[in-house]
Amino acid sequence: MSSSFGEAVREELRPLTRELRHAIPGVYQGYKELHDAALRAGVLDAKTKELIALALAVSKQCDGCIAAHAHAAVQQGATPKEAAEAIGVTFLMNGGPATIYGARAFSAVNEAYTASGAGSGTSPH
């Protein structure tokens, strides 16, 4: 497996998901509507919701989900330190497997954070 758990995973999955999306467009449209509604800011802001989604991605051991939600969390303003704390909660709930997928998620957040330029000149930790 790649040592990149962010963009490389997203790139690897992009053509596969595109093909499936073309085969079942209605299902994907329904999923997009659910996705958008669930992550829309409400009482919880969008950044918090993306951090929750990232933690759930770790719990589900889903590299594609980790890559997507790490990127989205950074786009919503999450820092690596905030992501690390959210990932830490997965250790409590999932034990050992969370330490592996948590490290992958933290790598993906750091990759997205660096690529965004958000931490230019400062430590992301």
Side-chain angles (χ1 to χ4, degrees):
M1 170 157 292
S2 167
S3 62
S4 170
F5 297 100
E7 190 59 30
V9 171
R10 292 173 63 208
E11 286 296 320
E12 176 186 344
L13 293 174
R14 195 165 280 128
L16 303 174
T17 56
R18 185 179 304 121
E19 184 177 348
L20 183 57
R21 186 174 61 247
H22 285 110
I24 51 172
V27 173
Y28 267 83
Q29 182 58 38
Y31 176 75
K32 181 186 180 321
E33 290 172 14
L34 173 62
H35 174 275
D36 293 349
L39 294 175
R40 187 174 301 118
V43 175
L44 295 177
D45 61 31
K47 177 178 81 172
T48 301
K49 289 182 175 189
E50 284 295 349
L51 289 169
I52 291 168
L54 179 64
L56 287 168
V58 170
S59 293
K60 299 303 275 180
Q61 300 176 1
C62 176
D63 283 333
C65 304
I66 287 169
H69 292 292
H71 181 79
V74 169
Q75 285 185 318
Q76 293 298 329
T79 66
K81 185 67 177 168
E82 290 170 320
E85 286 194 19
I87 293 164
V89 176
T90 68
F91 291 14
L92 168 67
M93 302 306 292
N94 281 14
T99 66
I100 303 304
Y101 284 88
R104 290 177 174 179
F106 191 60
S107 175
V109 167
N110 279 320
E111 181 182 327
Y113 191 77
T114 299
S116 76
S120 296
T122 62
S123 172
H125 305 288

